[in-house]
Amino acid sequence: MCTGKCSLFIAISLYPLVLLSILCNILLFFPDWSTKSVKEGHITDEVKYMGGFIGGGVLVLIPALYIHLTGEQGCCANRLGMFFSVIFAAVGAAGAVYSFIVALLGLYNGPLCRTSSYKWERPFMDKNLEYVKNSQYWNDCLEPKNVVQFNMGLFITLMVASVLQGLLCVSQVINGFVGCICGTCNDKEEL
């Protein structure tokens, strides 16, 4: 099989994951589906780090575009083109790792919410993810409504998307090395 077809498959698989990461990061800015938290500055640092937008979005989209172009050129143009796809895929993998780490920290530290003491704080910061397993802790957050479930769902989705992005980028690194070393076309495709 031509390594170009594999590159094309990898790139096309990355596009929806990039879109999902960007969408999750944007939605994290609007808990309770309103702009009130953003206007008042009640957003966690992990959301402001924009792991889904920068890491899982831009740093994966640019390599996906280049990998797509490499795969569309039939016999992958040349070995140098495949080598560049390795470098771009490594950048994409680094972006996926950044997105995963930020999402993991966001899940670990929990949301910023107004508690029964009427202060905005992060009540789950020192609970070692206990709030994820025990839904009784979710009542500690009074405002925004359902912010715990909202943050958990989006951060877990970001983590899954970034793992898939990382696996696809690493497989492109391997595919690119195979294309560089063994050639990018078999004899039938050259004819």
Side-chain angles (χ1 to χ4, degrees):
M1 180 179 126
C2 177
T3 56
K5 289 180 184 177
C6 187
S7 295
L8 192 60
F9 173 77
I10 290 170
I12 290 172
S13 300
L14 283 172
Y15 293 139
L17 295 172
V18 166
L19 183 64
L20 180 65
S21 294
I22 291 171
L23 185 63
C24 284
N25 203 136
I26 290 171
L27 290 176
L28 280 166
F29 277 99
F30 305 105
D32 203 17
W33 304 104
S34 70
T35 58
K36 182 180 177 185
S37 296
V38 176
K39 288 179 182 175
E40 295 175 357
H42 301 303
I43 301 294
T44 63
D45 287 338
E46 290 83 10
V47 175
K48 293 175 188 174
Y49 294 157
M50 297 181 66
F53 186 80
I54 295 171
V58 175
L59 287 178
V60 175
L61 179 61
I62 293 170
L65 292 171
Y66 184 81
I67 293 166
H68 191 154
L69 289 174
T70 302
E72 274 189 342
Q73 294 176 356
C75 289
C76 309
N78 56 36
R79 292 179 184 201
L80 185 62
M82 286 305 286
F83 179 71
F84 280 136
S85 77
V86 169
I87 294 170
F88 277 98
V91 170
V97 168
Y98 174 71
S99 179
F100 181 83
I101 290 171
V102 171
L104 182 64
L105 286 173
L107 185 65
Y108 184 80
N109 292 331
L112 178 67
C113 61
R114 188 173 61 83
T115 59
S116 57
S117 63
Y118 296 104
K119 292 191 301 187
W120 286 88
E121 57 189 351
R122 298 179 86 172
F124 312 120
M125 194 167 228
D126 299 323
K127 295 225 185 341
N128 295 330
L129 291 175
E130 276 298 314
Y131 79 96
V132 174
K133 302 174 209 165
N134 190 350
S135 61
Q136 292 175 350
Y137 286 122
W138 300 354
N139 295 328
D140 292 351
C141 284
L142 303 176
E143 186 183 335
K145 188 176 179 186
N146 298 324
V147 70
V148 178
Q149 299 93 313
F150 189 81
N151 273 21
M152 278 177 35
L154 291 173
F155 278 129
I156 290 171
T157 303
L158 267 175
M159 288 169 60
V160 170
S162 63
V163 166
L164 293 173
Q165 288 172 336
L167 289 173
L168 286 167
C169 287
V170 167
S171 65
Q172 176 57 31
V173 168
I174 295 167
N175 178 50
F177 278 131
V178 169
C180 287
I181 295 168
C182 301
T184 57
C185 291
N186 58 27
D187 293 334
K188 292 178 186 175
E189 290 177 359
E190 286 179 2
L191 296 175

